[in-house]
Amino acid sequence: MVAGSASFLTGAFMPVSRVYVEREPQRKLEILLADPVQWRAELAFLGAGTIVLPVGVAMLARHWGEDRGLHGLDRPPGRRLAVAGTVLLAAGAGAFLVDLSARFNDPEGFALGHQPLWPFHAYMWSSLAGMAALGGALLREKRRDSGSGIPRWPGWLNLGGAAAFAGVLAGTGDIPPLFVYLVGFATGAALILRGRENRSHIFGGSE
């Protein structure tokens, strides 16, 4: 999750990304034509991040609850929501890859607004639904008495972020997707820290 988010954010903060805040179509086209190599590199970073983030959530869902010895037919709280989040994020990623492919092959069409908007909207709504599902999954994970369980703030960050971003998207018809990856980065980092704390608790305890 951290790797995918970092890749996307790398692309999102490249200098050529100023094209997204430029309102004049001809000026947008000038930005893209001035540095086509950087534009393609940015799209590659965005595409890699779009693919890798759902893979990270899938790995999380697959191993959900294993640190508590739950395997086989056991169904720890939140696993189904985590799987749903994986499916929704993957569906959104597929839609966005269609959009990125069009931007790669026809930068002029992108700059001049000739490309369809549905892939981007499908991507954003699916991604926000996936965030909400992941947030619900994290909130269902019970915190252990030892304090080494998953903290609640990543769950609320995903759930609240999805609701806030959905409101902006519904009201304006647009929202920078980098917000999804900022949340994904923070969530992945929290889970990494949680894993390190668990290992420290297991191997560094008094027993």
Side-chain angles (χ1 to χ4, degrees):
M1 292 174 67
V2 169
S5 298
S7 175
F8 192 98
L9 293 171
T10 297
F13 286 104
M14 291 178 70
V16 74
S17 293
R18 69 187 187 277
V19 71
Y20 297 115
V21 297
E22 176 61 53
R23 297 301 179 186
E24 175 58 41
Q26 287 297 332
R27 177 58 186 150
K28 290 168 74 81
L29 182 58
E30 289 174 6
I31 293 172
L32 298 185
L33 294 180
D35 199 340
V37 173
Q38 185 182 156
W39 174 241
R40 293 188 179 95
E42 186 210 36
L43 296 179
F45 277 115
L46 298 182
T50 301
I51 294 169
V52 174
L53 178 63
V55 173
V57 179
M59 293 172 64
L60 177 65
R62 180 169 180 256
H63 296 286
W64 198 271
E66 285 187 0
D67 61 333
R68 297 193 306 278
L70 297 172
H71 302 281
L73 297 178
D74 293 322
R75 297 191 180 277
R79 175 175 283 172
R80 289 183 177 178
L81 280 172
V83 171
T86 300
V87 172
L88 289 164
L89 287 169
F96 196 46
L97 290 175
V98 171
D99 193 32
L100 291 177
S101 177
R103 299 182 192 187
F104 187 92
N105 293 318
D106 185 15
E108 182 176 0
F110 169 74
L112 300 180
H114 296 161
Q115 293 173 357
L117 295 176
W118 71 261
F120 177 78
H121 286 283
Y123 156 66
M124 285 306 305
W125 285 113
S126 295
S127 297
L128 295 180
M131 278 180 58
L134 178 59
L138 294 171
L139 289 174
R140 291 202 65 193
E141 176 73 4
K142 294 181 179 179
R143 185 176 176 84
R144 288 185 253 165
D145 293 337
S146 67
S148 60
I150 297 176
R152 297 187 68 79
W153 70 261
W156 287 117
L157 179 64
N158 278 270
L159 204 58
F165 302 157
V168 173
L169 182 59
T172 66
D174 192 19
I175 187 170
L178 66 89
F179 290 121
V180 173
Y181 296 88
L182 288 170
V183 171
F185 188 93
T187 302
L191 295 173
I192 290 172
L193 292 175
R194 174 258 185 152
R196 290 178 176 174
E197 290 172 0
N198 284 355
R199 288 192 293 273
S200 175
H201 175 74
I202 292 169
F203 297 110
S206 60
E207 296 184 0

